[in-house]
Amino acid sequence: MEHEVFVPVPAERLRAALADPAQVARALPGFQQDAGTEPVAGRLKLRVGGHTITYRGTLRVTAREDGGYAVEGDATEARGSGTVTLALTLELRETDGASTLRFGGTATADGRIAELPADAVDAAAVRLLERWAENLGAEAAADEPPAAATVFETEIPPPGLAGVDSVNGSADADDLDDVDADDVDDIDEVDAVEAVAGFPDPGVPPAEAAHARRTMIGRSAEEVDHAPPRGRYAPVPAPQTVARDNALRWAAPAAALAVASAIVVGRALRRRR
């Protein structure tokens, strides 16, 4: 059995990951570590075709003197008597800033997996090695320190802020010393011209603006721009007072008195006749 996997991670980072049993265990797909056991000892679910077989065993990755690694594993079926014995060699090569993992070796098995088609078993083994190498590369890349910022990535302030203190928001002392007294007089003249021209003083807002600002407090931008004022944000109309005419208060009594007087005078005249 021979297979190669390309991993876009430097070889040194992969060697550090292979030397860490915890990273080796996390990278193994379908592996669940048993409590209180070695880092690479527990249960492994292997899917072959349409079947899933669970094994319980251990895996060991040992560095060799020639720079390669020896991968050894022993497992037994969790629900059965089948066993699997793994003896692989792992070679790591540098490839343009990345790495190539080359697997070679043998694996013997009996039990349920021996009853399945050979091509399905080979495809499951290749898929397991590829996913393990990719996950190991992800583990190694996660531990890589961030690269330092280059000159082109350094933030440069805009030229319009030159001579201004970005922290205190004040101008440099040398720039303040260069201000001439005549420039100050010119500024006063400009203010005087604006006052004569009839420009409103920006420091005192008109009454309409103050009323609009009071009615818009607490409203969203959408309500201010599109929706008419309503609800609790609607302005309260001022009470309208209507002055009643005092003459109308006495019109009805006066008319009643006139009618009564006419009736009395008419009766008196009738009696005299």
Side-chain angles (χ1 to χ4, degrees), residues 77 106 143 234 270:
E77 292 181 8
T106 59
D143 295 339
R270 290 176 183 176

Side-chain angles (χ1 to χ4, degrees), residues 8-244:
V9 176
E12 294 300 327
R13 303 300 307 173
L14 271 183
R15 293 185 185 276
L18 288 171
D20 186 3
Q23 294 190 28
V24 172
R26 289 195 302 265
L28 191 59
F31 177 77
Q32 182 179 2
Q33 180 183 357
D34 292 339
T37 61
E38 299 179 3
V40 196
R43 300 161 61 92
L44 175 65
K45 289 186 177 181
L46 181 62
R47 186 170 183 82
V48 182
H51 304 272
T52 301
I53 306 175
T54 303
Y55 290 95
R56 185 187 301 274
T58 59
L59 181 68
R60 295 173 298 277
V61 180
T62 308
R64 301 189 308 182
E65 295 181 356
D66 58 355
Y69 295 87
V71 182
E72 300 175 348
D74 298 310
T76 305
E77 292 181 8
R79 297 181 180 180
S81 58
T83 60
V84 174
T85 302
L86 185 67
L88 299 179
T89 58
L90 175 61
E91 296 180 3
L92 184 61
R93 298 197 310 267
E94 186 80 20
T95 308
D96 297 333
S99 304
T100 300
L101 296 177
R102 184 177 183 275
F103 297 92
T106 59
T108 58
D110 56 13
R112 292 181 55 190
I113 196 171
E115 301 174 357
L116 300 177
D119 54 350
V121 175
D122 294 341
V126 169
R127 183 171 63 252
L128 180 64
L129 293 178
E130 289 181 349
R131 292 182 58 189
W132 179 63
E134 293 174 358
N135 295 342
L136 195 63
E139 289 282 342
D143 295 339
E144 186 176 1
T150 61
V151 177
F152 300 99
E153 296 177 353
T154 304
E155 184 178 358
I156 301 176
L161 299 180
V164 179
D165 188 0
S166 60
V167 177
N168 298 327
S170 59
D172 295 340
D174 297 338
D175 296 338
L176 295 178
D177 294 339
D178 296 338
V179 178
D180 193 0
D182 296 337
D183 297 337
V184 179
D185 297 339
D186 295 340
I187 296 175
D188 297 338
E189 293 178 0
V190 172
D191 296 339
V193 172
E194 291 181 354
V196 173
F199 291 101
D201 187 4
V204 181
E208 294 81 359
H211 175 71
R213 181 172 58 84
R214 287 194 301 269
T215 57
M216 289 188 296
I217 292 177
R219 299 170 61 190
S220 63
E222 182 179 359
E223 291 178 338
V224 173
D225 294 338
H226 306 288
R230 59 185 179 181
R232 61 173 181 172
Y233 302 120
V236 179
Q240 299 180 359
T241 57
V242 180
R244 301 178 62 181

